[in-house]
Amino acid sequence: MSEKFDIGIYADFLIPMNSSKVKEKFFIGIKKNRIATVQPYKPQLKTKCKKFIFGKNMLCMPGLVNGHVHLPMTLFRGLEDDVPFHVWLFERILPLEQKIVDKGFIKAGTDLAALESIRFGVTTVNEMYFYLEETAKSIDKSGLRAIISQTFADFPLPEDKDLGRDKFAVVEKALKKYQDHSRIRVGLGPHAPYSCSDDLLVKIRDFAKLHKLPIHIHVSETKKEVDDSLNQYKKTPPQRLYELGILSDKTICAHCVHLNEEDQKIFTKTKAVVVHNPDSNLKLASGMAPISEYREKGISTMFGTDGTASNNDLSVLGAMDIGTKVQKLSQKKESSFGAYEAVRMATVEGARNLGYSDLGTIEEGMLADMILLDLSFPHLQPVNNIFSHLVYSAQGLEVDTTICDGKILMKNKKVLSLNQNQVFSNAQKWQKKIEKQLRTIKGE
Amino acid sequence: MSEKFDIGIYADFLIPMNSSKVKEKFFIGIKKNRIATVQPYKPQLKTKCKKFIFGKNMLCMPGLVNGHVHLPMTLFRGLEDDVPFHVWLFERILPLEQKIVDKGFIKAGTDLAALESIRFGVTTVNEMYFYLEETAKSIDKSGLRAIISQTFADFPLPEDKDLGRDKFAVVEKALKKYQDHSRIRVGLGPHAPYSCSDDLLVKIRDFAKLHKLPIHIHVSETKKEVDDSLNQYKKTPPQRLYELGILSDKTICAHCVHLNEEDQKIFTKTKAVVVHNPDSNLKLASGMAPISEYREKGISTMFGTDGTASNNDLSVLGAMDIGTKVQKLSQKKESSFGAYEAVRMATVEGARNLGYSDLGTIEEGMLADMILLDLSFPHLQPVNNIFSHLVYSAQGLEVDTTICDGKILMKNKKVLSLNQNQVFSNAQKWQKKIEKQLRTIKGE
């Protein structure tokens, strides 16, 4: 019994998420980046820990998993809100991206988004944007776990000026650099069925198979997208992707708001993953995916926040709240999609859906990604029902401690892996540039 | 220039809410319970203040107004969630209330709810539950502003054992006690059209007119309620209330999820107020009131949280977030119901709708109810758009300072007017009693 834990945690409450049981007064011992033990707390355990975290009035649970995000877009938060979608996207955001996105933008935006994710207890993100390597550098420093996807599309990307059009070359370079990284994986991000030709999608499919890479793609986000696809291809987007052989359990499909019966069967059969982004789908008036129906049909599901330009925050707890509540209304059933299911989706199911077999529960041998959530807030009292409090009452800022891959990224609600003041002042500098550029675009 | 302010505030940002303008680096001077000046900050102003609050990186705005709540029910938070509504209400909550609600319960629940409201920057609440005087005592101590309504219904109330059935007598006593109180007003709370006879409603109408009291009532919350009313009375609930003369600009109607065209005309004409409780209406699968449509028709609207048994928190900022996003989807328009409108509804419109003519904006002469919200959180950076950040990104816990009626109720995110540890431990004691009673009710 002389073994030393790198980190030891006492928690008043623990939800390991291998069942719906809540354990009280438990100890979690971490060695390197793995969980070494989970057992009832005894005072002598404390003496075996190099670092000890005392979670009085705290809930320990697996770190949250964000299935769909565009981290650097965090610099666009709140920009041109409440204008119609086509104006927002085609007349504001896209022209702005072409003019302003460069390596500096990516660093500033990813740093801010990583800071926010850690603050909200998110430990794994499934990312898709531009300048993969810059994003990876920033993520690496932040301590988060991530799959970072290279965006592919038939239209020019803001990064082309620096990186050229051959995105497979960019991916190959990144694969070499990050092949042995403990937290960073590289993925392929064909933007959407409507922005990628059959030819490009087939190349991506073959490259993904060869290198065993996950694919991250927007699918059936709006009704217009589905109608356009039916007009052009006589197929829905999932039907087209299925016939091109793109869909498998390594394909992470964001949104899937509008899936017909046949589409849903394709998802059940291929085990392709649906990422539910309720804030974004509501705010952009895209529709509401019938997630509880999908789940009953055996479709793999997880939560995402989408980028902050359409949410406007990166809180997975926020997505769980709004996602479950709207589901109850749209399914006309108060009991559809309960709190425990939502927590499963945001932790163990999310991790498994992203291909991590050793992540998402607090058990011996698992990767040490976990959070402590402070229950000593009025809105979490009395502690009647942990799962309900987490989903319907908690917001994100209650997270006190964030641990990823055995490293403490936040303690006492202070992020340790990034310099908050520096990140904020850099973001503010970019905000001024963005504002100026936006005025030019709008002809003001 | 030797005048002294009781409290002086410097704020990096100020939204006075008499327009959509954002002012920077402003000073607000408070004398007694009123705003004495609002002007650009100069260092010498600080010397004129007995207490000075330095709002660096903070946004000053009017305190939030909660249009519909049942404060003591906060002890039921998270209880029996995700079960069908009729089981939840008729087999769990109502039997539990009959068995357990007494003066001690009311104090414990109201204290916790007041603590939570102050923490979330809510300064005015429109309350309806039992044991009016106990609630008032607790509210008085907390420092909040409130209209506290006496519940009326044809069925027995948990308070009857102590207070008898004559609720008008209870109100008369309270009216005498609180007639000169600066923060507490007494109101009449006929529970709902379906739980009050015509006879009772007419008595309430006459008593309200005589004493110039506001009326607080649940209206058209579920489709079933409307169908039942049509069956029984051949009228919708608003049509029945209108014919009984209950509806005026002093009638605050919670929910109004299901209003037909004629109902809506009645609301426009009578100026009766609709309180929108999006969290509760979603979570109980009641439906979604088309608030932006109501507003276009000139109906008075405001936000409410409802009780935490169906939300599950008292954050008005949370209601604004979910309320606006769901409205965009249900109205199929990204631009419907923008952020500035939502902030108006939660501040100045809310205050006016509750009958306060001198509340809800930050201007000279107004009642000194205001909050400082800390913008130095990652999810509120960069500060692109104050209104958008408030509605779509903020959650409630960012509130740093809460001032009501010229008194500082919270500073540096610590509530000063209540002892948090005591309130928590009292709530936990009640939670144990509730759990035991619930097991008996469920026959476990």
Side-chain angles (χ1 to χ4, degrees):
Chain A
M1 281 293 277
S2 67
E3 56 177 353
K4 285 273 180 202
F5 299 109
D6 293 312
I7 304 170
I9 298 168
Y10 162 83
D12 264 0
F13 300 94
L14 166 71
I15 47 172
M17 293 312 294
N18 51 0
S19 81
S20 62
K21 288 225 174 71
V22 179
K23 296 182 185 288
E24 296 193 23
K25 302 188 195 304
F26 251 64
F27 175 82
I28 302 104
I30 296 171
K31 285 188 185 177
K32 290 188 179 155
N33 69 338
R34 300 260 165 197
I35 296 167
T37 187
V38 181
Q39 56 178 283
Y41 181 72
K42 286 173 227 119
Q44 66 265 36
L45 285 163
K46 188 180 166 177
T47 62
K48 298 187 192 306
C49 303
K50 288 184 203 161
K51 289 180 189 172
F52 183 73
I53 297 173
F54 185 59
K56 182 78 190 152
N57 295 319
M58 295 215 190
L59 165 69
C60 181
M61 64 179 287
L64 299 164
V65 179
N66 187 350
H68 177 61
V69 67
H70 312 288
L71 298 170
M73 288 186 89
T74 302
L75 294 178
F76 292 149
R77 187 195 327 267
L79 218 65
E80 300 292 301
D81 268 325
D82 303 328
V83 301
F85 179 67
H86 67 274
V87 176
W88 175 80
L89 184 62
F90 295 103
E91 297 176 27
R92 308 287 155 80
I93 296 296
L94 290 182
L96 197 56
E97 280 182 335
Q98 288 296 345
K99 294 235 177 205
I100 210 157
V101 172
D102 65 10
K103 290 184 181 180
F105 177 97
I106 297 293
K107 179 180 164 39
T110 308
D111 282 352
L112 180 61
L115 191 74
E116 181 177 346
S117 298
I118 295 166
R119 186 67 189 80
F120 283 148
V122 174
T123 50
T124 301
V125 295
N126 189 34
E127 158 68 6
M128 177 205 281
Y129 205 58
F130 311 120
Y131 292 97
L132 161 56
E133 271 206 60
E134 288 308 308
T135 311
K137 272 186 214 164
S138 193
I139 286 289
D140 189 18
K141 210 186 134 216
S142 77
L144 286 175
R145 192 178 302 285
I147 302 177
I148 307 168
S149 294
Q150 169 63 47
T151 300
F152 288 81
D154 289 326
F155 53 74
L157 305 182
E159 63 178 25
D160 294 353
K161 59 184 178 288
D162 290 320
L163 306 174
R165 281 295 294 164
D166 183 0
K167 303 308 172 193
F168 291 107
V170 177
V171 174
E172 273 172 348
K173 194 176 155 216
L175 279 175
K176 270 179 207 142
K177 187 162 176 187
Y178 290 102
Q179 61 186 346
D180 297 319
H181 200 285
S182 64
R183 290 179 287 103
I184 294 177
R185 283 163 61 201
V186 174
L188 304 181
H191 172 262
Y194 60 83
S195 49
C196 296
S197 64
D198 284 4
D199 189 45
L200 177 58
L201 288 169
V202 165
K203 279 186 192 147
I204 288 169
R205 174 198 71 193
D206 293 343
F207 191 93
K209 274 194 189 147
L210 183 68
H211 295 280
K212 298 191 171 62
L213 300 182
I215 292 174
H216 184 181
I217 183 167
H218 299 88
V219 178
S220 298
E221 179 175 2
T222 63
K223 196 169 168 299
K224 184 176 180 303
E225 176 189 340
V226 177
D227 292 344
D228 288 352
S229 176
L230 285 168
N231 277 336
Q232 193 179 347
Y233 300 101
K234 314 289 168 219
K235 294 164 201 163
T236 64
Q239 285 155 20
R240 187 170 152 239
L241 293 176
Y242 177 62
E243 288 178 20
L244 292 171
I246 285 275
L247 298 179
S248 79
D249 63 353
K250 294 171 96 72
T251 316
I252 318 299
C253 302
H255 305 303
C256 301
V257 172
H258 305 277
L259 300 185
N260 67 21
E261 286 291 320
E262 198 191 326
D263 295 341
Q264 293 178 30
K265 278 182 196 151
I266 289 172
F267 272 86
T268 308
K269 189 158 115 183
T270 59
K271 299 187 166 56
V273 176
V274 168
V275 186
H276 184 41
N277 303 281
D279 292 88
S280 170
N281 299 152
L282 287 168
K283 187 152 171 281
L284 299 176
S286 309
M288 191 41 49
I291 286 296
S292 54
E293 210 182 299
Y294 293 176
R295 291 174 63 79
E296 278 165 23
K297 292 183 177 167
I299 296 174
S300 301
T301 59
M302 65 188 302
F303 281 108
T305 60
D306 206 349
T308 66
S310 59
N311 178 321
N312 296 349
D313 63 55
L314 301 177
S315 173
V316 171
L317 281 168
M320 291 155 71
D321 183 14
I322 205 165
T324 47
K325 283 176 183 163
V326 173
Q327 206 62 212
K328 287 166 197 291
L329 177 66
S330 57
Q331 299 294 297
K332 296 191 177 56
K333 211 165 93 182
E334 317 81 321
S335 54
S336 89
F337 204 21
Y340 170 63
E341 258 193 287
V343 181
R344 268 191 65 87
M345 232 173 93
T347 55
V348 55
E349 292 185 25
R352 301 295 150 87
N353 287 338
L354 292 184
Y356 298 97
S357 58
D358 52 355
L359 187 71
T361 60
I362 298 187
E363 296 174 286
E364 201 184 308
M366 303 295 284
L367 285 167
D369 291 16
M370 67 193 77
I371 60 177
L372 288 169
L373 192 132
D374 186 352
L375 297 169
S376 62
F377 285 97
H379 67 293
L380 301 179
Q381 295 289 327
V383 184
N384 281 325
N385 183 338
I386 291 277
F387 291 106
S388 167
H389 283 20
L390 260 179
V391 176
Y392 306 127
S393 304
Q395 306 172 332
L397 289 178
E398 305 85 349
V399 177
D400 180 87
T401 301
T402 303
I403 295 172
C404 183
D405 210 47
K407 295 272 184 310
I408 303 170
L409 307 188
M410 177 169 80
K411 206 179 160 184
N412 300 327
K413 305 185 183 71
K414 294 259 178 245
V415 176
L416 306 174
S417 55
L418 288 154
N419 179 327
Q420 177 165 302
N421 289 341
Q422 241 169 47
V423 172
F424 282 7
S425 88
N426 206 10
Q428 282 151 11
K429 266 182 227 155
W430 274 96
Q431 192 249 329
K432 288 196 179 74
K433 287 192 212 179
I434 291 166
E435 220 172 56
K436 202 177 146 192
Q437 197 59 255
L438 190 66
R439 277 200 300 271
T440 312
I441 289 169
K442 289 164 78 177
E444 286 174 9
Chain B
M1 281 294 278
S2 68
E3 56 177 353
K4 285 274 180 201
F5 300 110
D6 293 311
I7 304 171
I9 297 168
Y10 162 84
D12 263 0
F13 300 94
L14 166 70
I15 47 173
M17 293 313 295
N18 51 0
S19 80
S20 62
K21 288 225 174 72
V22 180
K23 296 182 186 288
E24 295 193 24
K25 301 186 195 306
F26 251 63
F27 174 82
I28 303 103
I30 296 171
K31 284 188 186 176
K32 289 187 180 156
N33 69 339
R34 299 261 167 197
I35 296 167
T37 186
V38 181
Q39 56 177 283
Y41 180 72
K42 285 173 227 122
Q44 66 265 36
L45 285 164
K46 189 180 164 176
T47 63
K48 298 187 192 307
C49 303
K50 288 184 204 159
K51 288 181 188 172
F52 184 73
I53 297 173
F54 184 57
K56 181 75 186 154
N57 296 318
M58 295 215 190
L59 165 69
C60 181
M61 63 180 287
L64 299 164
V65 179
N66 187 350
H68 177 61
V69 68
H70 313 289
L71 298 171
M73 288 187 89
T74 301
L75 294 178
F76 292 151
R77 187 197 325 268
L79 219 63
E80 300 291 301
D81 268 325
D82 303 329
V83 301
F85 179 66
H86 67 274
V87 176
W88 175 80
L89 184 62
F90 295 102
E91 297 177 27
R92 309 286 156 81
I93 296 297
L94 290 183
L96 197 56
E97 281 181 335
Q98 288 295 348
K99 294 236 176 203
I100 210 155
V101 172
D102 65 10
K103 289 185 182 180
F105 177 97
I106 298 293
K107 179 180 162 39
T110 309
D111 282 352
L112 180 60
L115 192 73
E116 181 178 345
S117 299
I118 295 165
R119 185 66 188 81
F120 283 148
V122 174
T123 50
T124 300
V125 295
N126 188 35
E127 159 67 6
M128 176 205 282
Y129 204 59
F130 311 120
Y131 292 97
L132 161 56
E133 272 206 61
E134 288 307 307
T135 310
K137 272 185 215 165
S138 193
I139 286 289
D140 190 17
K141 212 188 131 213
S142 77
L144 285 175
R145 192 179 301 284
I147 301 177
I148 307 169
S149 294
Q150 170 63 47
T151 299
F152 290 81
D154 290 326
F155 53 75
L157 306 182
E159 63 178 26
D160 294 354
K161 59 186 178 285
D162 290 320
L163 306 174
R165 282 295 294 165
D166 183 359
K167 304 308 172 192
F168 292 106
V170 178
V171 174
E172 273 172 349
K173 194 175 155 218
L175 279 176
K176 270 179 208 142
K177 186 161 175 189
Y178 291 102
Q179 60 186 345
D180 297 319
H181 200 284
S182 64
R183 290 180 286 104
I184 293 177
R185 282 163 61 201
V186 174
L188 304 181
H191 172 262
Y194 60 84
S195 50
C196 296
S197 64
D198 284 5
D199 189 45
L200 178 58
L201 288 169
V202 165
K203 279 186 193 147
I204 289 169
R205 175 199 70 193
D206 293 343
F207 191 92
K209 273 194 190 147
L210 182 67
H211 294 279
K212 299 192 171 61
L213 299 183
I215 292 174
H216 184 181
I217 183 168
H218 298 89
V219 178
S220 298
E221 179 174 2
T222 63
K223 195 170 169 299
K224 183 175 182 302
E225 175 189 341
V226 178
D227 292 344
D228 288 352
S229 175
L230 285 168
N231 277 335
Q232 193 179 347
Y233 300 100
K234 313 287 167 219
K235 294 165 200 163
T236 64
Q239 285 155 21
R240 185 171 153 237
L241 293 176
Y242 177 62
E243 288 178 21
L244 292 170
I246 285 274
L247 298 178
S248 78
D249 63 352
K250 293 171 98 70
T251 316
I252 318 299
C253 302
H255 305 304
C256 300
V257 172
H258 304 277
L259 300 185
N260 67 21
E261 286 291 321
E262 198 190 327
D263 295 341
Q264 293 179 30
K265 278 182 195 149
I266 289 173
F267 273 85
T268 308
K269 190 159 114 183
T270 60
K271 298 189 168 53
V273 176
V274 168
V275 186
H276 183 40
N277 302 281
D279 291 88
S280 171
N281 299 153
L282 286 168
K283 186 151 172 283
L284 300 177
S286 309
M288 191 42 46
I291 287 295
S292 53
E293 209 181 301
Y294 293 175
R295 292 173 63 80
E296 278 165 24
K297 292 181 177 167
I299 297 174
S300 301
T301 60
M302 64 188 303
F303 281 108
T305 60
D306 206 347
T308 67
S310 59
N311 178 322
N312 295 349
D313 62 56
L314 302 177
S315 173
V316 171
L317 281 168
M320 291 155 72
D321 184 13
I322 205 164
T324 47
K325 283 177 184 163
V326 173
Q327 206 61 212
K328 286 167 197 288
L329 177 66
S330 58
Q331 299 295 297
K332 296 192 176 59
K333 212 165 91 181
E334 316 83 321
S335 54
S336 88
F337 203 23
Y340 170 63
E341 258 192 287
V343 180
R344 268 190 65 85
M345 232 173 94
T347 55
V348 55
E349 292 184 25
R352 301 295 150 87
N353 286 338
L354 292 184
Y356 299 96
S357 58
D358 52 354
L359 186 70
T361 60
I362 299 187
E363 296 175 285
E364 202 183 308
M366 303 295 285
L367 285 166
D369 291 17
M370 66 192 78
I371 59 177
L372 288 169
L373 192 133
D374 186 352
L375 297 169
S376 62
F377 285 98
H379 66 294
L380 301 178
Q381 296 289 327
V383 185
N384 282 325
N385 183 338
I386 290 278
F387 291 104
S388 166
H389 283 20
L390 261 178
V391 177
Y392 305 127
S393 304
Q395 307 172 332
L397 289 178
E398 304 86 349
V399 177
D400 180 87
T401 302
T402 303
I403 295 172
C404 183
D405 210 48
K407 294 273 184 310
I408 302 171
L409 307 187
M410 178 170 79
K411 206 180 160 185
N412 300 327
K413 305 184 183 71
K414 295 259 178 244
V415 176
L416 307 173
S417 55
L418 288 154
N419 180 328
Q420 177 165 300
N421 290 341
Q422 241 169 48
V423 172
F424 283 5
S425 88
N426 206 10
Q428 281 150 12
K429 264 182 230 157
W430 274 95
Q431 191 248 330
K432 288 197 180 72
K433 287 191 212 180
I434 292 166
E435 221 171 54
K436 202 178 147 192
Q437 198 58 257
L438 191 64
R439 276 198 301 268
T440 312
I441 289 170
K442 289 164 80 177
E444 287 173 6

